Amino acid sequence: MILGIGTDLANIDRIAATLERFGDRFKTRVFTEIEQRKAERRADVAGTYAKRWAAKEACSKALGTGLRMGISWRDMAVSNLPSGQPVMAVTGWAAQRLAEMTPPDHEAIIHVTLTDDHPWAQAFVVIEARPVRVQPVP
């Protein structure tokens, strides 16, 4: 069952200007160390940050809160599987909110997809609840 859906569109040029103006202060306030390392290795640094910004916004919307009620930017983190597929992990208040909205005997799965076409970066997040399969006792 779907628990939440969120999307966001970020302007890459706006993120680039914010990076130029605030630098490390902005990066450390919004992005985890893993996200920063990923972005700094890419040819399109601002585009990578913009996609992750959009993913955090989309995730907060899927959680039904937006960026309020105690959710921190760094409570939502995008990383990539070896295949390149983006994945979202939540900690802190975002993890607490996810646990509250997940029905008993279900596990929450956060699906995220990212795309960009300069000057836009977009993210889409779907939070799914799947029944936990209990193994029969022999």
Side-chain angles (χ1 to χ4, degrees):
M1 92 180 60
I2 294 176
L3 299 178
I5 298 171
T7 188
D8 192 66
L9 186 65
N11 185 290
I12 296 169
D13 294 334
R14 186 177 133 238
I15 297 296
T18 302
L19 288 166
E20 189 171 312
R21 182 172 180 199
F22 297 105
D24 287 343
R25 189 170 135 213
F26 170 67
K27 291 177 198 175
T28 57
R29 181 175 158 251
V30 176
F31 301 101
T32 65
E33 289 180 26
I34 292 170
E35 290 172 315
Q36 290 177 54
R37 282 196 305 268
K38 173 81 170 184
E40 298 299 327
R41 287 194 317 258
R42 303 305 279 278
D44 184 10
V45 172
T48 302
Y49 278 121
K51 284 186 280 190
R52 278 147 180 75
W53 170 279
K56 291 167 186 274
E57 285 274 8
C59 184
S60 72
K61 293 171 185 175
L63 289 168
T65 62
L67 283 159
R68 57 184 172 83
M69 297 175 61
I71 289 182
S72 162
W73 288 103
R74 292 172 57 103
D75 284 348
M76 300 165 286
V78 178
S79 60
N80 296 84
L81 298 176
S83 66
Q85 176 184 348
V87 292
M88 175 74 69
V90 293
T91 58
W93 201 92
Q96 181 182 341
R97 170 69 180 143
L98 182 61
E100 289 169 0
M101 60 192 288
T102 304
D105 300 322
H106 285 71
E107 63 180 339
I109 310 295
I110 302 174
H111 304 276
V112 59
T113 186
L114 309 171
T115 191
D116 64 290
D117 187 5
H118 196 89
W120 301 107
Q122 183 180 29
F124 192 77
V125 171
V126 175
I127 300 175
E128 172 191 12
R130 289 185 189 162
V132 175
R133 296 180 193 256
V134 179
Q135 296 294 329
V137 178

